[in-house]
Protein backbone atom coordinates (compact mmCIF):
# COMPACT_ATOMS: atom_id res chain seq x y z
CA UNK A 1 0.00 0.00 0.00
CA UNK A 2 2.67 2.49 1.07
CA UNK A 3 4.98 1.44 -1.70
CA UNK A 4 2.23 1.99 -4.28
CA UNK A 5 1.54 5.41 -2.81
CA UNK A 6 5.22 6.33 -2.90
CA UNK A 7 5.53 5.21 -6.52
CA UNK A 8 2.54 7.30 -7.59
CA UNK A 9 3.82 10.17 -5.46
CA UNK A 10 7.10 10.01 -7.38
CA UNK A 11 5.12 9.97 -10.64
CA UNK A 12 3.14 13.06 -9.60
CA UNK A 13 6.34 14.91 -8.62
CA UNK A 14 8.06 13.89 -11.84
CA UNK A 15 5.17 15.02 -14.05
CA UNK A 16 5.08 18.32 -12.17
CA UNK A 17 8.82 19.00 -12.37
CA UNK A 18 8.93 17.90 -16.02
CA UNK A 19 6.52 20.75 -16.79
CA UNK A 20 3.62 18.66 -18.05
CA UNK A 21 1.22 19.68 -15.26
CA UNK A 22 1.82 23.39 -15.74
CA UNK A 23 1.62 23.08 -19.53
CA UNK A 24 -1.72 21.30 -19.33
CA UNK A 25 -2.95 23.85 -16.80
CA UNK A 26 -3.24 26.30 -19.70
CA UNK A 27 -6.11 24.28 -21.15
CA UNK A 28 -9.52 24.23 -19.50
CA UNK A 29 -11.56 21.07 -19.15
CA UNK A 30 -14.34 23.17 -17.59
CA UNK A 31 -13.76 26.86 -18.15
CA UNK A 32 -12.77 28.68 -14.97
CA UNK A 33 -13.31 25.55 -12.84
CA UNK A 34 -10.99 22.72 -13.77
CA UNK A 35 -7.89 22.62 -15.98
CA UNK A 36 -6.29 19.66 -17.72
CA UNK A 37 -3.25 19.99 -15.43
CA UNK A 38 -5.45 19.63 -12.36
CA UNK A 39 -7.16 16.63 -13.97
CA UNK A 40 -3.75 15.00 -14.48
CA UNK A 41 -2.80 15.40 -10.81
CA UNK A 42 -6.21 14.18 -9.64
CA UNK A 43 -5.93 11.18 -11.96
CA UNK A 44 -2.60 10.19 -10.39
CA UNK A 45 -4.21 10.22 -6.92
CA UNK A 46 -7.16 8.15 -8.10
CA UNK A 47 -4.88 5.70 -9.91
CA UNK A 48 -2.87 5.30 -6.71
CA UNK A 49 -5.96 4.24 -4.78
CA UNK A 50 -7.16 2.03 -7.63
CA UNK A 51 -3.83 0.18 -7.88
CA UNK A 52 -3.42 -0.27 -4.14
CA UNK A 53 -6.95 -1.66 -3.83
CA UNK A 54 -6.38 -4.03 -6.73
CA UNK A 55 -3.19 -5.41 -5.21
CA UNK A 56 -4.37 -5.66 -1.65
CA UNK A 57 -6.64 -8.68 -2.19
CA UNK A 58 -8.34 -8.08 1.16
CA UNK A 59 -12.00 -7.70 2.03
CA UNK A 60 -13.88 -4.74 0.47
CA UNK A 61 -13.29 -2.71 3.61
CA UNK A 62 -9.60 -3.60 3.55
CA UNK A 63 -9.33 -2.61 -0.10
CA UNK A 64 -10.95 0.73 0.60
CA UNK A 65 -8.50 1.25 3.44
CA UNK A 66 -5.59 0.38 1.17
CA UNK A 67 -6.82 2.92 -1.37
CA UNK A 68 -7.11 5.64 1.27
CA UNK A 69 -3.64 4.89 2.62
CA UNK A 70 -2.07 4.84 -0.81
CA UNK A 71 -3.75 8.07 -1.89
CA UNK A 72 -2.71 9.77 1.36
CA UNK A 73 0.89 8.62 0.80
CA UNK A 74 0.82 10.09 -2.70
CA UNK A 75 -0.53 13.31 -1.22
CA UNK A 76 2.27 13.27 1.35
CA UNK A 77 4.84 13.15 -1.48
CA UNK A 78 3.21 16.07 -3.29
CA UNK A 79 2.95 18.03 -0.04
CA UNK A 80 6.61 17.30 0.66
CA UNK A 81 7.52 18.70 -2.75
CA UNK A 82 5.55 21.89 -2.04
CA UNK A 83 7.17 22.24 1.40
CA UNK A 84 10.63 21.62 -0.06
CA UNK A 85 10.06 24.26 -2.72
CA UNK A 86 9.24 26.78 0.01
CA UNK A 87 12.62 26.20 1.71
CA UNK A 88 14.95 25.30 -1.18
CA UNK A 89 15.33 26.97 -4.55
CA UNK A 90 14.47 23.96 -6.71
CA UNK A 91 14.62 26.06 -9.85
CA UNK A 92 18.41 25.79 -9.85
CA UNK A 93 17.93 22.10 -10.68
CA UNK A 94 14.48 21.98 -12.30
CA UNK A 95 13.63 24.77 -14.71
CA UNK A 96 9.92 23.99 -14.48
CA UNK A 97 9.82 24.36 -10.67
CA UNK A 98 8.04 27.71 -10.91
CA UNK A 99 5.94 29.46 -8.24
CA UNK A 100 2.90 28.98 -10.50
CA UNK A 101 3.40 25.20 -10.38
CA UNK A 102 3.56 25.07 -6.59
CA UNK A 103 0.58 27.41 -6.28
CA UNK A 104 -1.29 24.94 -8.46
CA UNK A 105 -0.22 21.92 -6.39
CA UNK A 106 -0.95 23.61 -3.07
CA UNK A 107 -4.25 25.14 -4.17
CA UNK A 108 -2.92 28.57 -3.18
CA UNK A 109 -2.50 27.62 0.49
CA UNK A 110 0.68 28.16 2.60
CA UNK A 111 3.14 25.20 2.47
CA UNK A 112 2.30 24.02 6.00
CA UNK A 113 -1.44 23.88 5.32
CA UNK A 114 -0.88 22.58 1.80
CA UNK A 115 0.86 19.51 3.18
CA UNK A 116 -2.12 18.57 5.34
CA UNK A 117 -4.53 19.41 2.55
CA UNK A 118 -2.62 17.24 0.06
CA UNK A 119 -2.69 14.25 2.42
CA UNK A 120 -6.43 14.65 3.10
CA UNK A 121 -7.26 15.22 -0.55
CA UNK A 122 -5.03 12.29 -1.55
CA UNK A 123 -6.81 10.01 0.92
CA UNK A 124 -10.21 11.08 -0.41
CA UNK A 125 -9.18 10.58 -4.03
CA UNK A 126 -7.53 7.27 -3.16
CA UNK A 127 -10.87 6.22 -1.68
CA UNK A 128 -12.54 7.16 -4.98
CA UNK A 129 -10.03 5.01 -6.83
CA UNK A 130 -10.58 2.09 -4.44
CA UNK A 131 -14.34 2.40 -4.88
CA UNK A 132 -13.70 1.80 -8.56
CA UNK A 133 -12.34 -1.63 -7.62
CA UNK A 134 -15.13 -2.49 -5.21
CA UNK A 135 -18.17 -1.13 -7.06
CA UNK A 136 -19.87 -3.18 -9.80
CA UNK A 137 -18.35 -2.83 -13.25
CA UNK A 138 -21.76 -1.92 -14.64
CA UNK A 139 -21.58 1.27 -12.57
CA UNK A 140 -17.90 2.09 -13.04
CA UNK A 141 -17.80 1.75 -16.81
CA UNK A 142 -20.40 4.47 -17.57
CA UNK A 143 -18.71 6.83 -15.13
CA UNK A 144 -15.31 6.30 -16.77
CA UNK A 145 -16.77 6.74 -20.26
CA UNK A 146 -18.55 9.93 -19.20
CA UNK A 147 -15.41 11.36 -17.60
CA UNK A 148 -13.36 10.43 -20.66
CA UNK A 149 -15.82 12.25 -22.93
CA UNK A 150 -15.82 15.38 -20.77
CA UNK A 151 -12.00 15.46 -20.55
CA UNK A 152 -11.74 14.76 -24.29
CA UNK A 153 -13.99 17.75 -24.98
CA UNK A 154 -11.50 19.96 -23.16
CA UNK A 155 -8.33 18.42 -24.60
CA UNK A 156 -9.52 18.48 -28.20
CA UNK A 157 -11.44 21.74 -27.99
CA UNK A 158 -9.37 23.31 -30.80
CA UNK A 159 -10.29 20.49 -33.17
CA UNK A 160 -13.96 20.58 -32.15
CA UNK A 161 -14.08 24.36 -32.54
CA UNK A 162 -12.56 23.95 -36.00
CA UNK A 163 -15.33 21.53 -36.96
CA UNK A 164 -17.98 23.85 -35.49
CA UNK A 165 -16.53 26.89 -37.26
CA UNK A 166 -19.29 27.25 -39.92
CA UNK A 167 -21.93 29.79 -38.94
CA UNK A 168 -24.63 27.13 -38.96
CA UNK A 169 -23.03 25.50 -35.90
CA UNK A 170 -22.77 28.78 -34.00
CA UNK A 171 -25.57 27.96 -31.48
CA UNK A 172 -23.95 24.61 -30.62
CA UNK A 173 -20.52 26.23 -30.42
CA UNK A 174 -21.70 29.00 -28.12
CA UNK A 175 -23.55 26.52 -25.93
CA UNK A 176 -20.56 24.18 -25.59
CA UNK A 177 -17.73 26.70 -25.28
CA UNK A 178 -17.05 30.03 -23.65
CA UNK A 179 -15.93 32.62 -26.20
CA UNK A 180 -12.13 32.57 -26.17
CA UNK A 181 -12.11 29.98 -23.38
CA UNK A 182 -12.80 26.31 -22.70
CA UNK A 183 -15.91 24.17 -22.43
CA UNK A 184 -18.82 25.47 -20.40
CA UNK A 185 -19.87 23.64 -17.24
CA UNK A 186 -23.28 22.82 -18.71
CA UNK A 187 -21.69 21.49 -21.91
CA UNK A 188 -19.26 19.24 -20.02
CA UNK A 189 -22.03 18.04 -17.67
CA UNK A 190 -24.47 17.21 -20.47
CA UNK A 191 -21.78 15.42 -22.45
CA UNK A 192 -20.85 13.44 -19.33
CA UNK A 193 -24.46 12.39 -18.76
CA UNK A 194 -25.12 11.47 -22.40
CA UNK A 195 -21.89 9.44 -22.66
CA UNK A 196 -22.53 7.68 -19.36
CA UNK A 197 -26.10 6.78 -20.31
CA UNK A 198 -25.02 5.46 -23.70
CA UNK A 199 -22.29 3.38 -22.06
CA UNK A 200 -24.83 2.03 -19.54
CA UNK A 201 -27.40 0.97 -22.14
CA UNK A 202 -24.87 -0.24 -24.69
CA UNK A 203 -24.65 -3.85 -23.37
CA UNK A 204 -28.46 -4.13 -23.40
CA UNK A 205 -28.63 -2.77 -26.97
CA UNK A 206 -26.02 -5.27 -28.11
CA UNK A 207 -27.91 -8.14 -26.53
CA UNK A 208 -31.18 -7.07 -28.14
CA UNK A 209 -31.39 -7.89 -31.86
CA UNK A 210 -31.95 -4.84 -34.03
CA UNK A 211 -32.89 -4.45 -37.63
CA UNK A 212 -29.23 -4.20 -38.62
CA UNK A 213 -28.22 -7.22 -36.54
CA UNK A 214 -30.93 -9.33 -38.19
CA UNK A 215 -29.20 -8.94 -41.54
CA UNK A 216 -26.98 -11.69 -42.82
CA UNK A 217 -23.30 -11.39 -41.85
CA UNK A 218 -22.31 -10.54 -45.40
CA UNK A 219 -24.90 -7.76 -45.77
CA UNK A 220 -23.97 -6.47 -42.32
CA UNK A 221 -20.31 -6.28 -43.30
CA UNK A 222 -21.23 -4.38 -46.46
CA UNK A 223 -23.44 -2.00 -44.45
CA UNK A 224 -20.76 -1.16 -41.91
CA UNK A 225 -18.12 -0.93 -44.65
CA UNK A 226 -20.22 1.68 -46.44
CA UNK A 227 -20.68 3.57 -43.17
CA UNK A 228 -16.90 3.49 -42.60
CA UNK A 229 -16.17 4.68 -46.14
CA UNK A 230 -18.66 7.53 -45.76
CA UNK A 231 -17.03 8.61 -42.50
CA UNK A 232 -13.53 8.44 -44.02
CA UNK A 233 -14.68 10.53 -46.97
CA UNK A 234 -16.30 13.14 -44.72
CA UNK A 235 -13.41 13.56 -42.26
CA UNK A 236 -11.26 16.08 -44.20
CA UNK A 237 -14.36 18.01 -45.31
CA UNK A 238 -15.55 18.37 -41.71
CA UNK A 239 -12.14 18.99 -40.12
CA UNK A 240 -10.55 21.26 -42.71
CA UNK A 241 -6.96 21.37 -44.00
CA UNK A 242 -5.28 20.95 -40.58
CA UNK A 243 -7.15 17.75 -39.75
CA UNK A 244 -6.56 16.49 -43.29
CA UNK A 245 -2.82 17.13 -42.86
CA UNK A 246 -2.80 15.18 -39.59
CA UNK A 247 -4.69 12.33 -41.24
CA UNK A 248 -2.21 12.22 -44.12
CA UNK A 249 0.65 11.90 -41.62
CA UNK A 250 -1.26 9.14 -39.84
CA UNK A 251 -1.72 7.42 -43.20
CA UNK A 252 2.01 7.62 -43.98
CA UNK A 253 2.90 6.03 -40.66
CA UNK A 254 0.21 3.41 -41.27
CA UNK A 255 1.87 2.51 -44.57
CA UNK A 256 5.25 2.19 -42.85
CA UNK A 257 3.68 0.31 -39.97
CA UNK A 258 2.07 -2.21 -42.31
CA UNK A 259 5.47 -2.80 -43.91
CA UNK A 260 7.36 -3.16 -40.65
CA UNK A 261 4.56 -5.36 -39.34
CA UNK A 262 5.46 -7.94 -41.99
CA UNK A 263 9.04 -8.01 -40.76
CA UNK A 264 8.63 -7.66 -37.01
CA UNK A 265 5.05 -8.73 -36.34
CA UNK A 266 4.89 -11.75 -38.63
CA UNK A 267 8.47 -12.81 -39.35
CA UNK A 268 10.03 -11.66 -36.06
CA UNK A 269 12.84 -9.76 -37.85
CA UNK A 270 13.55 -6.66 -35.78
CA UNK A 271 14.43 -3.79 -38.14
CA UNK A 272 15.58 -0.45 -36.72
CA UNK A 273 16.66 0.97 -40.07
CA UNK A 274 13.22 0.87 -41.64
CA UNK A 275 13.17 4.60 -42.35
CA UNK A 276 15.80 3.96 -45.04
CA UNK A 277 13.16 2.37 -47.29
CA UNK A 278 10.83 5.30 -46.69
CA UNK A 279 13.67 7.60 -47.76
CA UNK A 280 14.46 5.49 -50.83
CA UNK A 281 10.83 5.69 -51.99
CA UNK A 282 10.76 9.46 -51.42
CA UNK A 283 14.07 10.11 -53.19
CA UNK A 284 13.13 7.88 -56.13
CA UNK A 285 9.91 9.79 -56.74
CA UNK A 286 11.70 13.08 -56.15
CA UNK A 287 14.43 12.37 -58.68
CA UNK A 288 12.06 10.98 -61.30
CA UNK A 289 9.46 13.76 -61.07
CA UNK A 290 11.34 16.87 -59.98
CA UNK A 291 11.37 19.82 -62.36
CA UNK A 292 14.32 21.31 -60.50
CA UNK A 293 18.06 20.91 -60.74
CA UNK A 294 18.21 17.25 -59.72
CA UNK A 295 15.27 15.95 -61.71
CA UNK A 296 16.36 13.22 -64.13
CA UNK A 297 13.21 12.13 -65.97
CA UNK A 298 10.35 14.62 -65.31
CA UNK A 299 7.90 11.74 -65.08
CA UNK A 300 4.44 11.99 -63.63
CA UNK A 301 3.80 10.80 -60.08
CA UNK A 302 1.83 7.81 -61.32
CA UNK A 303 4.70 6.61 -63.51
CA UNK A 304 7.28 7.13 -60.75
CA UNK A 305 5.44 5.30 -57.97
CA UNK A 306 5.87 1.75 -59.40
CA UNK A 307 9.57 2.44 -59.88
CA UNK A 308 9.84 3.72 -56.30
CA UNK A 309 8.13 0.58 -55.01
CA UNK A 310 10.44 -1.63 -57.07
CA UNK A 311 13.59 0.22 -55.98
CA UNK A 312 12.52 0.00 -52.33
CA UNK A 313 11.79 -3.70 -52.71
CA UNK A 314 15.24 -4.32 -54.20
CA UNK A 315 16.82 -2.28 -51.41
CA UNK A 316 15.00 -4.43 -48.86
CA UNK A 317 16.32 -7.61 -50.45
CA UNK A 318 19.85 -6.17 -50.58
CA UNK A 319 19.62 -5.35 -46.87
CA UNK A 320 18.34 -8.81 -46.12
CA UNK A 321 21.19 -10.70 -47.79
CA UNK A 322 24.00 -9.79 -45.35
CA UNK A 323 21.80 -10.15 -42.24
CA UNK A 324 20.24 -13.51 -43.08
CA UNK A 325 22.17 -15.34 -40.38
CA UNK A 326 21.75 -12.70 -37.68
CA UNK A 327 19.08 -12.92 -35.00
CA UNK A 328 17.70 -10.91 -32.11
CA UNK A 329 19.55 -7.86 -30.81
CA UNK A 330 22.37 -8.25 -33.31
CA UNK A 331 19.87 -8.00 -36.16
CA UNK A 332 18.49 -4.78 -34.70
CA UNK A 333 21.98 -3.27 -34.54
CA UNK A 334 22.82 -4.36 -38.10
CA UNK A 335 19.63 -2.86 -39.55
CA UNK A 336 20.17 0.29 -37.51
CA UNK A 337 23.52 0.63 -39.25
CA UNK A 338 21.88 0.22 -42.65
CA UNK A 339 19.48 3.06 -41.97
CA UNK A 340 22.28 5.37 -40.93
CA UNK A 341 24.38 4.36 -43.96
CA UNK A 342 21.57 5.39 -46.32
CA UNK A 343 21.16 8.76 -44.60
CA UNK A 344 24.91 9.46 -44.59
CA UNK A 345 25.24 8.45 -48.23
CA UNK A 346 22.53 10.93 -49.20
CA UNK A 347 24.31 13.60 -47.17
CA UNK A 348 27.74 12.82 -48.60
CA UNK A 349 29.63 15.14 -50.92
CA UNK A 350 30.28 12.27 -53.31
CA UNK A 351 26.58 11.91 -54.15
CA UNK A 352 25.74 15.61 -53.88
CA UNK A 353 25.66 16.18 -57.67
CA UNK A 354 22.91 13.55 -58.01
CA UNK A 355 21.04 13.62 -54.68
CA UNK A 356 21.52 17.25 -53.66
CA UNK A 357 23.28 16.55 -50.34
CA UNK A 358 21.87 18.55 -47.45
CA UNK A 359 20.04 20.82 -49.94
CA UNK A 360 17.84 17.87 -50.97
CA UNK A 361 15.71 17.46 -54.06
CA UNK A 362 13.38 20.40 -54.71
CA UNK A 363 10.47 21.27 -56.99
CA UNK A 364 8.62 17.95 -56.80
CA UNK A 365 5.28 18.46 -58.56
CA UNK A 366 1.93 17.39 -57.14
CA UNK A 367 0.10 14.39 -58.63
CA UNK A 368 -2.35 15.17 -61.41
CA UNK A 369 -5.32 12.87 -61.95
CA UNK A 370 -7.52 13.39 -65.04
CA UNK A 371 -6.43 17.00 -65.24
CA UNK A 372 -7.09 17.66 -61.53
CA UNK A 373 -4.07 18.46 -59.36
CA UNK A 374 -4.01 16.83 -55.91
CA UNK A 375 -2.43 19.88 -54.36
CA UNK A 376 -3.65 20.35 -50.80
CA UNK A 377 -3.74 17.98 -47.82
CA UNK A 378 -7.47 17.44 -48.34
CA UNK A 379 -6.73 15.99 -51.79
CA UNK A 380 -3.68 13.99 -50.72
CA UNK A 381 -5.73 12.55 -47.88
CA UNK A 382 -7.80 10.52 -50.34
CA UNK A 383 -4.65 9.35 -52.11
CA UNK A 384 -3.22 8.21 -48.76
CA UNK A 385 -6.43 6.42 -47.80
CA UNK A 386 -6.56 4.54 -51.11
CA UNK A 387 -2.86 3.58 -50.86
CA UNK A 388 -3.31 2.43 -47.24
CA UNK A 389 -6.38 0.39 -48.18
CA UNK A 390 -4.54 -1.35 -51.04
CA UNK A 391 -1.47 -2.05 -48.90
CA UNK A 392 -3.64 -3.29 -46.00
CA UNK A 393 -5.48 -5.63 -48.36
CA UNK A 394 -2.19 -7.03 -49.70
CA UNK A 395 -0.88 -7.42 -46.13
CA UNK A 396 -4.09 -9.18 -45.08
CA UNK A 397 -3.86 -11.62 -48.00
CA UNK A 398 -0.20 -12.25 -47.25
CA UNK A 399 -0.91 -12.85 -43.58
CA UNK A 400 -3.28 -15.72 -44.29
CA UNK A 401 -1.25 -17.15 -47.14
CA UNK A 402 1.31 -19.95 -47.09
CA UNK A 403 4.04 -17.32 -47.03
CA UNK A 404 2.44 -15.64 -44.01
CA UNK A 405 2.33 -18.93 -42.11
CA UNK A 406 5.98 -19.50 -43.01
CA UNK A 407 6.83 -16.06 -41.57
CA UNK A 408 5.03 -16.92 -38.34
CA UNK A 409 6.84 -20.25 -38.20
CA UNK A 410 10.30 -18.64 -38.38
CA UNK A 411 9.16 -16.05 -35.85
CA UNK A 412 8.45 -18.83 -33.36
CA UNK A 413 11.54 -20.95 -34.03
CA UNK A 414 13.82 -20.74 -37.05
CA UNK A 415 15.41 -24.14 -36.50
CA UNK A 416 12.08 -25.92 -36.27
CA UNK A 417 10.78 -24.02 -39.31
CA UNK A 418 13.83 -25.07 -41.32
CA UNK A 419 13.37 -28.66 -40.20
CA UNK A 420 9.80 -28.49 -41.51
CA UNK A 421 11.09 -27.61 -44.97
CA UNK A 422 10.73 -23.83 -44.99
CA UNK A 423 13.37 -22.07 -47.07
CA UNK A 424 14.62 -19.48 -44.62
CA UNK A 425 16.55 -17.50 -47.21
CA UNK A 426 13.66 -16.85 -49.59
CA UNK A 427 11.10 -16.33 -46.82
CA UNK A 428 13.25 -13.78 -44.99
CA UNK A 429 14.18 -11.91 -48.16
CA UNK A 430 10.51 -11.70 -49.12
CA UNK A 431 9.71 -10.24 -45.71
CA UNK A 432 12.42 -7.60 -46.06
CA UNK A 433 11.53 -6.83 -49.68
CA UNK A 434 7.75 -6.58 -49.29
CA UNK A 435 8.03 -4.59 -46.07
CA UNK A 436 10.39 -2.16 -47.80
CA UNK A 437 8.02 -1.86 -50.78
CA UNK A 438 5.17 -0.79 -48.47
CA UNK A 439 7.42 1.86 -46.92
CA UNK A 440 8.38 2.99 -50.42
CA UNK A 441 4.72 3.77 -51.16
CA UNK A 442 4.62 5.96 -48.05
CA UNK A 443 7.84 7.70 -49.08
CA UNK A 444 6.42 8.44 -52.52
CA UNK A 445 3.36 10.18 -51.07
CA UNK A 446 5.54 12.01 -48.53
CA UNK A 447 7.68 13.44 -51.36
CA UNK A 448 4.73 14.96 -53.21
CA UNK A 449 3.09 16.12 -49.98
CA UNK A 450 6.13 18.18 -48.92
CA UNK A 451 7.26 19.06 -52.46
CA UNK A 452 10.89 18.40 -51.58
CA UNK A 453 12.96 15.76 -49.80
CA UNK A 454 15.85 16.37 -47.42
CA UNK A 455 18.11 13.85 -45.64
CA UNK A 456 17.21 15.28 -42.25
CA UNK A 457 13.59 14.24 -42.80
CA UNK A 458 14.58 10.58 -42.38
CA UNK A 459 15.98 10.30 -38.88
CA UNK A 460 16.30 7.16 -36.79
CA UNK A 461 13.45 8.48 -34.66
CA UNK A 462 10.96 7.65 -37.41
CA UNK A 463 11.95 3.97 -37.28
CA UNK A 464 11.49 3.98 -33.51
CA UNK A 465 8.08 5.64 -33.82
CA UNK A 466 6.93 3.06 -36.36
CA UNK A 467 8.13 0.24 -34.12
CA UNK A 468 6.38 1.84 -31.13
CA UNK A 469 3.04 2.12 -32.93
CA UNK A 470 3.19 -1.56 -33.85
CA UNK A 471 3.87 -2.53 -30.24
CA UNK A 472 1.09 -0.30 -28.91
CA UNK A 473 -1.39 -1.36 -31.57
CA UNK A 474 -0.57 -5.07 -31.41
CA UNK A 475 2.25 -6.89 -33.20
CA UNK A 476 1.07 -8.90 -36.19
CA UNK A 477 -2.31 -7.14 -36.27
CA UNK A 478 -3.28 -5.00 -39.27
CA UNK A 479 -6.08 -3.14 -37.42
CA UNK A 480 -3.62 -2.72 -34.55
CA UNK A 481 -1.20 -0.86 -36.83
CA UNK A 482 -3.96 1.61 -37.75
CA UNK A 483 -5.00 2.08 -34.12
CA UNK A 484 -1.36 2.52 -33.07
CA UNK A 485 -0.87 5.19 -35.77
CA UNK A 486 -3.91 7.11 -34.61
CA UNK A 487 -2.94 6.92 -30.93
CA UNK A 488 0.81 7.59 -31.17
CA UNK A 489 0.92 9.85 -34.25
CA UNK A 490 -2.53 11.39 -34.73
CA UNK A 491 -3.35 12.40 -31.16
CA UNK A 492 0.06 14.08 -30.47
CA UNK A 493 -0.29 15.97 -33.76
CA UNK A 494 -3.69 17.27 -32.69
CA UNK A 495 -2.18 18.32 -29.33
CA UNK A 496 0.84 19.94 -30.95
CA UNK A 497 1.29 22.64 -28.29
CA UNK A 498 2.32 19.84 -25.92
CA UNK A 499 4.72 18.40 -28.54
CA UNK A 500 7.75 18.72 -26.27
CA UNK A 501 6.22 16.03 -24.05
CA UNK A 502 5.59 13.65 -26.95
CA UNK A 503 8.43 11.31 -26.07
CA UNK A 504 7.46 11.32 -22.42
CA UNK A 505 4.03 10.12 -23.52
CA UNK A 506 5.62 7.53 -25.83
CA UNK A 507 7.73 6.13 -23.01
CA UNK A 508 4.82 6.06 -20.59
CA UNK A 509 2.58 4.42 -23.18
CA UNK A 510 5.13 1.71 -23.94
CA UNK A 511 5.78 0.95 -20.28
CA UNK A 512 2.05 0.89 -19.56
CA UNK A 513 1.39 -1.38 -22.52
CA UNK A 514 4.09 -3.85 -21.48
CA UNK A 515 2.74 -3.99 -17.93
CA UNK A 516 -1.00 -3.88 -18.53
CA UNK A 517 -1.65 -5.10 -22.07
CA UNK A 518 1.47 -6.62 -23.67
CA UNK A 519 -0.52 -7.94 -26.63
CA UNK A 520 -1.38 -4.34 -27.71
CA UNK A 521 -4.59 -2.36 -28.04
CA UNK A 522 -5.99 -4.43 -30.90
CA UNK A 523 -3.92 -7.61 -31.09
CA UNK A 524 -4.10 -10.45 -33.57
CA UNK A 525 -5.99 -13.49 -32.33
CA UNK A 526 -2.85 -15.65 -32.38
CA UNK A 527 -0.89 -13.13 -30.34
CA UNK A 528 -3.68 -12.82 -27.79
CA UNK A 529 -3.93 -16.59 -27.37
CA UNK A 530 -0.16 -16.93 -26.96
CA UNK A 531 0.04 -14.33 -24.22
CA UNK A 532 -3.04 -15.45 -22.32
CA UNK A 533 -2.91 -19.19 -22.75
CA UNK A 534 -1.61 -19.71 -19.20
CA UNK A 535 -4.40 -17.56 -17.76
CA UNK A 536 -7.03 -19.44 -19.76
CA UNK A 537 -5.61 -22.75 -18.58
CA UNK A 538 -5.31 -21.61 -14.99
CA UNK A 539 -8.84 -20.22 -14.74
CA UNK A 540 -10.72 -23.56 -15.07
CA UNK A 541 -8.26 -25.15 -12.64
CA UNK A 542 -8.88 -22.32 -10.18
CA UNK A 543 -12.63 -22.72 -10.49
CA UNK A 544 -12.33 -26.49 -10.04
CA UNK A 545 -10.20 -25.96 -6.95
CA UNK A 546 -12.77 -23.58 -5.45
CA UNK A 547 -15.57 -26.06 -6.16
CA UNK A 548 -13.59 -28.87 -4.56
CA UNK A 549 -12.85 -26.73 -1.52
CA UNK A 550 -16.53 -25.80 -1.24
CA UNK A 551 -17.60 -29.46 -1.43
CA UNK A 552 -15.00 -30.46 1.15
CA UNK A 553 -16.17 -27.70 3.48
CA UNK A 554 -19.78 -28.78 3.20
Amino acid sequence: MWRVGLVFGAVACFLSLAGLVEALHARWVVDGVLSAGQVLVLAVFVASGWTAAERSGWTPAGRLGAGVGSGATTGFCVGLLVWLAAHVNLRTMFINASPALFALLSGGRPPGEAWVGAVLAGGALGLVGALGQVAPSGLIRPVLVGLGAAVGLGLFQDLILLILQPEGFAPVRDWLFVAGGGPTARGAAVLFVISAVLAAVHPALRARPTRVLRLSPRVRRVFWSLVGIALLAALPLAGGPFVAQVLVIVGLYTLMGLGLNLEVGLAGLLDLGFVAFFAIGAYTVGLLTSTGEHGIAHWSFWAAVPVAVLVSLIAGVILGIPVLGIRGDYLAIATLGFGEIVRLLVLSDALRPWLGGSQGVLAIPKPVLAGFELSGPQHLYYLTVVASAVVAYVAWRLQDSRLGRAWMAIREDEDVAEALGINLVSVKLLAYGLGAAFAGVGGAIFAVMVGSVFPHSFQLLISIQVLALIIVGGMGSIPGVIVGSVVLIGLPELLREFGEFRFLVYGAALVAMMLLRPEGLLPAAVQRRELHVLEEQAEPALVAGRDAAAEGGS
Side-chain angles (χ1 to χ4, degrees), residues 412-427:
E412 299 304 322
D413 195 312
E414 284 191 20
D415 297 330
V416 173
E418 190 173 20
L420 290 172
I422 294 174
N423 186 333
L424 296 186
V425 174
S426 63
V427 167

Side-chain angles (χ1 to χ4, degrees), residues 359-403:
Q359 302 299 320
V361 179
L362 308 176
I364 300 173
K366 303 293 183 187
V368 178
L369 182 63
F372 180 75
E373 187 181 69
L374 305 178
S375 55
Q378 287 171 298
H379 302 151
L380 291 174
Y381 163 79
Y382 296 107
L383 174 64
T384 309
V385 168
V386 171
S388 301
V390 172
V391 168
Y393 177 76
V394 174
W396 172 60
R397 296 296 295 169
L398 284 171
Q399 184 174 328
D400 293 331
S401 68
R402 185 171 181 173
L403 178 60

Side-chain angles (χ1 to χ4, degrees), residues 326-389:
I326 305 176
R327 301 181 187 179
D329 302 338
Y330 303 102
L331 177 60
I333 294 170
T335 52
L336 172 66
F338 177 77
E340 286 301 295
I341 287 170
V342 170
R343 190 175 65 84
L344 293 175
L345 279 176
V346 174
L347 270 173
S348 67
D349 292 334
L351 296 177
R352 182 190 295 272
W354 297 280
L355 301 181
S358 60
Q359 302 299 320
V361 179
L362 308 176
I364 300 173
K366 303 293 183 187
V368 178
L369 182 63
F372 180 75
E373 187 181 69
L374 305 178
S375 55
Q378 287 171 298
H379 302 151
L380 291 174
Y381 163 79
Y382 296 107
L383 174 64
T384 309
V385 168
V386 171
S388 301

